[in-house]
Amino acid sequence: MSNLVLGLSAFYHDSAAALVRDGRVVSAAQEERFTRRRHDPAFPRRAVDYCLRESGISLEDVDAVAFYEDPALKFRRVLATYLGAAPGGFASFRDSAPQWLGWKLSTLRTVRRELAGAGPVPPIEVRRHHESHAASAFYPSPYPRAAVLCIDGVGEWATTTIWHGTEDGLRQLAELRFPHSLGLLYSAFTYFCGFKVDSGEYKLMGLAPYGTPRYERVIRERLIDIRPDGSFRLNLRYFEFLRGQVMTGRGFESLFGGPRRQPESPLTPREFDLAASVQSVTEQVVDRLARTARDLTGERTLCLAGGVALNCVANGKLVDNQIFDEIWVQPAAGDAGGALGAALSVSAARGGSRDHLAGGGDGMSGALLGPAYADDEIEAYLRENRIPHRRWEPSAQATEVARHLAAGRVVGWFQGRMEFGPRALGARSILGDPRDPGMQSVMNQKIKFRESFRPFAPSVLAADAKDYFDLKQESPYMLIVSPIAEARRIAADGPAATGLELLRRPRSDIPAVTHVDYSARVQTVAEETDPAYHRLLRAFKEATGCPVLVNTSFNVRGEPIVNTPHEAYTCFMRTNIDMLALGPFLLDKAEQPVPAGDDDWRADIPMD
């Protein structure tokens, strides 16, 4: 038996496919990168095609298909929720019942039908949602044994689970169930602050340092009862997700001084303080749950997955509090990573190995698991479209790009295999000079076309990380927030500032990546994981003395990260990116022809 397993997540949010061979992650990609529909929940047909093509196999070579959750159990939970909320939830049930009674209830038949066009369909094995999360966290981790903590909105019933990962596999130790969900609590505040649920949570986290947690006591006393072990119960009278298709209603309005903020309206001090308050409560719950996971397992390492594991501020607090010696977060911690986890779980049950442990690293290959484009493919695209370009040798290209970055230019960086998960890690990135105080504003407003308060992350040479950040462990996947090193900080002077006024005050000698609370969401870059990106960082250090770059995802607001050379070039031409490094080719904006008939393209960008 070849132990070749294809994992799928689909039909709810951010569908994906992943291929695992004998326990080793071979490829993984989200459907949105191919369809260009952000968080595409459709069956991941194109992602499946990519995974098979990447390995040069067909579906008949696959031993099993692993689906990331139990559709029948999920349907029972949804039905029980509607019945429990009757009659208040009737309108929501009436609107969604046709979907649930149709294709969602027959999910596995849909999977078979969708796969049938690719060849004979292998046996389909179902894994529960949190089991998939746990498997995605533990099996590729660098630890032979670990505590595993999974926190999200909801799977079938589970919203929080604790597992023990050992040489014998995964064993579940504890579970919290819907509707008591830390992820849904955070999403309720995301909604109330005027951001979109399931994508705006990053914005809420980024907004938190601008406020003070003055609503924390209200949240603790009225919305959530937190026990010493981290378990909790929500006061459901204040939430609407059981009864309708919105997260909050009059209950929230009575607690927090009026109606929710309307999307795209000006932010007020209330939103800053609400973000700070729910972020503080979230950190408290995660801290207590982690301590319970440590006590239940006796382990000194922790693996994390589930949507709440993408809260890199809470992760950073876990590291700072030294509850564990080290933590490891699955880079695709959300639903997309469930495809990978389901495949790993089925592969493990079939005798799959964890050979990566012998090398001392993790099994995610730096999350660089998506499509790559050969140099001749890129060159053919450039020549066919008569796009001005120059070809460079790797070291010379790094030196030239570093020179442009040091001169204040913004560079699109498209190299190698695309990242799996929500973070750009140096394969599909937009880069800038972190020493430039105006770089955050330029990149937010003229390139990303998003809110000015959104922070940017630094990439730093792993060997130099401690010179710039108070980082207690490596952070290769940009999922840990760390304080800026004291030696790099600039004391605030002048009159006291509040809210977005804080943006105008540099706080370190790398101001473009220093948040207003002297923190940064750090990515440490090692040569063995990403030689091209490491080479560029090293060249920038040689040119400037600084081993840090601003790194943000290669996309604009409302669009998925670019996948193909054409998408990279289109984004380059539609924004104020100055240079594009497309494989070994370097393109200068000043040399490009002016695109015709594209004046009002930004009108198509979703605003949230």
Side-chain angles (χ1 to χ4, degrees):
M1 183 177 292
S2 61
N3 196 352
L4 196 60
V5 182
L6 178 67
L8 303 175
S9 66
F11 303 139
Y12 304 106
H13 178 73
D14 209 9
S15 67
L19 191 68
V20 171
R21 186 191 298 271
D22 193 30
R24 182 175 66 86
V25 182
V26 177
S27 55
Q30 293 136 275
E31 186 71 0
E32 67 164 21
R33 306 294 172 84
F34 303 94
T35 63
R36 312 310 299 161
R37 179 188 175 193
R38 196 171 180 218
H39 304 304
D40 194 340
F43 181 82
R45 180 189 305 276
R46 295 164 183 82
V48 168
D49 290 345
Y50 155 68
C51 287
L52 297 176
R53 187 173 64 251
E54 175 69 22
S55 293
I57 62 172
S58 63
L59 191 62
E60 63 184 341
D61 298 313
V62 173
D63 298 296
V65 172
F67 195 70
Y68 80 127
E69 66 181 8
D70 185 334
L73 185 59
K74 185 158 191 167
F75 174 76
R76 288 197 291 273
R77 189 262 297 168
V78 171
L79 185 60
T81 300
Y82 285 136
L83 292 174
F90 177 75
S92 177
F93 177 74
R94 178 193 60 211
D95 293 341
S96 60
Q99 278 189 315
W100 279 106
L101 294 173
W103 63 267
K104 285 186 178 180
L105 183 57
S106 59
T107 296
L108 298 187
R109 288 199 298 272
T110 303
V111 170
R112 289 189 184 93
R113 184 176 67 249
E114 293 284 351
L115 287 174
V121 180
I124 299 175
E125 298 193 28
V126 168
R127 290 295 186 264
R128 292 195 179 184
H129 190 102
H130 269 241
E131 181 182 356
S132 296
H133 276 322
S136 78
F138 176 63
Y139 288 119
S141 80
Y143 313 134
R145 303 172 59 92
V148 182
L149 177 59
C150 303
I151 314 172
D152 65 2
V154 60
E156 297 90 359
W157 281 102
T159 65
T160 302
T161 51
I162 295 173
W163 306 71
H164 193 187
T166 68
E167 296 83 353
D168 296 325
L170 281 162
R171 181 166 63 95
Q172 184 176 323
L173 304 180
E175 177 180 286
L176 297 178
R177 289 192 149 206
F178 180 84
H180 305 290
S181 164
L182 188 61
L184 291 177
L185 173 71
Y186 206 88
S187 291
F189 279 88
T190 300
Y191 173 83
F192 193 71
C193 289
F195 303 125
K196 188 175 181 179
V197 172
D198 287 335
S199 63
E201 285 79 5
Y202 297 124
K203 299 180 184 181
L204 197 70
M205 184 177 64
L207 197 64
Y210 294 95
T212 57
R214 66 186 179 98
Y215 296 109
E216 180 183 325
R217 183 174 177 180
V218 174
I219 295 171
R220 291 284 307 268
E221 291 181 351
R222 305 295 289 275
L223 296 184
I224 183 170
D225 176 23
I226 310 171
R227 282 71 179 273
D229 64 356
S231 61
F232 57 86
R233 292 184 66 82
L234 299 184
N235 186 347
L236 299 174
R237 63 177 290 219
Y238 288 100
F239 299 88
E240 296 297 320
F241 56 79
L242 287 175
R243 294 178 289 276
Q245 296 179 333
V246 297
M247 297 297 294
T248 64
R250 292 180 180 176
F252 257 59
E253 294 175 4
S254 66
L255 286 181
F256 302 118
R260 70 182 284 249
R261 168 183 170 260
Q262 290 302 305
E264 303 303 318
S265 65
L267 290 161
T268 71
R270 184 186 69 158
E271 283 75 52
F272 302 148
D273 295 343
L274 285 169
S277 301
V278 73
Q279 179 63 36
S280 177
V281 170
T282 298
E283 291 164 12
Q284 294 170 39
V285 175
V286 171
D287 182 280
R288 293 187 187 187
L289 288 168
R291 293 178 189 275
T292 297
R294 179 196 61 193
D295 295 343
L296 289 176
T297 63
E299 300 294 348
R300 296 301 309 169
T301 53
L302 174 69
C303 302
L304 292 163
V308 177
L310 295 172
N311 192 309
C312 51
V313 179
N315 297 341
K317 293 293 176 63
L318 288 182
V319 173
D320 289 343
N321 293 340
Q322 298 183 296
I323 302 168
F324 290 87
D325 294 339
E326 195 171 276
I327 72 169
W328 188 85
V329 187
Q330 165 55 238
D335 281 357
L340 177 60
L344 286 165
S345 177
V346 170
S347 181
R350 291 168 170 250
S353 63
R354 301 183 70 205
D355 291 343
H356 68 272
L357 293 175
D362 68 38
M364 287 296 293
S365 301
L368 304 177
L369 298 168
Y373 296 86
D375 295 350
D376 57 353
E377 289 182 272
I378 298 173
E379 186 169 26
Y381 166 75
L382 295 173
R383 290 186 180 280
E384 180 181 339
N385 292 279
R386 300 180 179 178
I387 296 172
H389 62 278
R390 292 183 178 86
R391 183 166 189 153
W392 296 77
E393 292 302 315
S395 59
Q397 184 191 48
T399 299
E400 180 69 3
V401 170
R403 182 178 71 82
H404 286 286
L405 288 165
R409 307 189 85 184
V410 177
V411 177
W413 185 253
F414 182 102
Q415 306 289 329
R417 295 183 73 177
M418 181 178 64
E419 301 92 340
F420 180 53
R423 306 293 191 217
L425 301 169
R428 304 289 186 273
S429 292
I430 300 173
L431 308 175
D433 186 344
R435 303 168 304 158
D436 184 347
M439 187 58 67
Q440 180 187 18
S441 176
V442 168
M443 294 180 86
N444 265 327
Q445 297 180 27
K446 296 185 178 181
I447 294 171
K448 300 288 283 188
F449 305 109
R450 67 186 195 182
E451 302 90 344
S452 62
F453 70 84
R454 301 279 295 277
F456 286 108
S459 296
V460 59
L461 291 171
D464 294 316
K466 291 188 177 179
D467 293 337
Y468 284 79
F469 308 99
D470 184 15
L471 191 63
K472 295 180 173 64
Q473 67 169 74
E474 289 194 355
S475 177
Y477 299 117
M478 205 185 284
L479 285 169
I480 296 174
V481 161
S482 165
I484 297 290
E486 289 286 346
R488 299 288 168 186
R489 297 187 182 191
I490 297 173
D493 55 8
T498 59
L500 297 183
E501 295 173 358
L502 295 167
L503 273 173
R504 291 190 281 272
R505 297 195 173 177
R507 279 171 158 65
S508 78
D509 59 1
I510 46 172
V513 293
T514 303
H515 210 4
V516 296
D517 60 351
Y518 292 99
S519 72
R521 176 164 45 94
V522 183
Q523 178 199 6
T524 52
V525 180
E527 184 174 13
E528 58 270 22
T529 302
D530 191 342
Y533 194 35
H534 187 274
R535 186 185 306 118
L536 176 60
L537 281 160
R538 193 172 63 239
F540 188 73
K541 180 184 178 183
E542 291 170 357
T544 66
C546 177
V548 182
L549 286 172
V550 182
N551 176 11
T552 189
S553 55
F554 202 154
N555 65 326
V556 296
R557 183 184 186 186
E559 293 186 351
I561 294 173
V562 301
N563 172 14
T564 67
H566 172 68
E567 291 157 8
Y569 183 74
T570 299
C571 187
F572 168 56
M573 293 301 294
R574 286 179 163 185
T575 65
N576 288 313
I577 297 174
D578 300 299
M579 308 289 295
L580 174 59
L582 200 59
F585 307 98
L586 196 57
L587 288 65
D588 190 325
K589 176 67 69 63
E591 299 174 354
Q592 303 305 310
V594 177
D598 211 19
D599 294 338
D600 59 351
W601 65 274
R602 292 188 197 95
D604 296 329
I605 297 178
M607 285 295 100
D608 210 339

